[in-house]
Amino acid sequence: MKLDPNQNYTFNKYFENGYYSEDLADYFGYQLVLVNLILPLYQGELDRLAELRDRITEVLPYVPLTTELARREVIISKVVLELIHYTNVQIRIEFGIKVSNLLQGNLDYLIRTYKTNQLLVVEAKYEDLTRGFTQLVAEMIALDR
């Protein structure tokens, strides 16, 4: 894999160009290791989950989810905003970051808890999750740097 450091590469460009996630990680000096994670379960009551599901299900027949923006507006934003109710996390939407010409762009959602120094990046992809994962790799590298 060869990138031109004089060119501008946005996170989305990595998605569009179809680079392999492993090659991108290697180019920036990282190693991509795929493992199964066992994440902790939320111990509180999910008292608004049924309402959220009903609100989303109600509008789905009327809104085609053919674009990233449609999916973000109709589904993902609703779910992400519910996280505030349950976890009191900080959410940044369209969070801009520029490390270099090779690592720049906007994160759809950056969710961060400062108490435990954990973060989550949500990328609203649908049509090609493999290439979307490559974009996410670029975003993670940028955040690390």
Side-chain angles (χ1 to χ4, degrees):
M1 177 176 173
K2 183 145 173 81
L3 300 176
D4 182 351
N6 297 316
Q7 294 292 319
N8 286 319
Y9 292 83
T10 62
F11 301 135
N12 196 50
K13 189 169 185 175
Y14 292 110
F15 171 81
E16 292 169 353
N17 288 341
Y19 297 112
Y20 289 103
S21 301
E22 298 84 3
D23 294 342
L24 184 63
D26 184 59
Y27 180 86
F28 287 103
Y30 292 80
Q31 182 181 13
L32 182 64
V33 178
L34 302 176
V35 297
N36 289 326
L37 295 177
I38 299 173
L39 300 172
L41 296 175
Y42 179 72
Q43 297 302 313
E45 181 184 352
L46 299 173
D47 58 333
R48 297 175 4 171
L49 196 56
E51 293 171 27
L52 173 64
R53 182 191 61 236
D54 291 346
R55 286 193 314 269
I56 291 172
T57 303
E58 178 183 12
V59 299
L60 285 179
Y62 304 103
V63 182
L65 301 178
T66 55
T67 67
E68 181 178 325
L69 183 59
R71 289 184 292 280
R72 283 178 57 189
E73 291 293 322
V74 174
I75 298 175
I76 297 171
S77 68
K78 308 290 186 275
V79 173
V80 167
L81 292 175
E82 282 296 309
L83 289 174
I84 295 171
H85 171 72
Y86 293 112
T87 63
N88 297 316
V89 293
Q90 298 225 340
I91 296 177
R92 302 288 184 256
I93 301 170
E94 283 293 311
F95 183 78
I97 183 171
K98 181 172 182 174
V99 175
S100 68
N101 287 347
L102 301 178
L103 293 169
Q104 62 183 324
N106 291 324
L107 308 177
D108 288 350
Y109 300 94
L110 175 65
I111 304 166
R112 175 176 275 165
T113 173
Y114 292 99
K115 292 178 184 174
T116 59
N117 199 27
Q118 295 176 328
L119 62 89
L120 170 70
V121 175
V122 177
E123 184 59 45
K125 294 295 182 219
Y126 176 74
E127 64 276 348
D128 191 333
L129 292 178
T130 300
R131 288 183 7 199
F133 189 73
T134 300
Q135 179 177 340
L136 194 58
V137 167
E139 293 170 353
M140 293 287 99
I141 292 169
L143 283 170
D144 185 54
R145 292 196 173 175

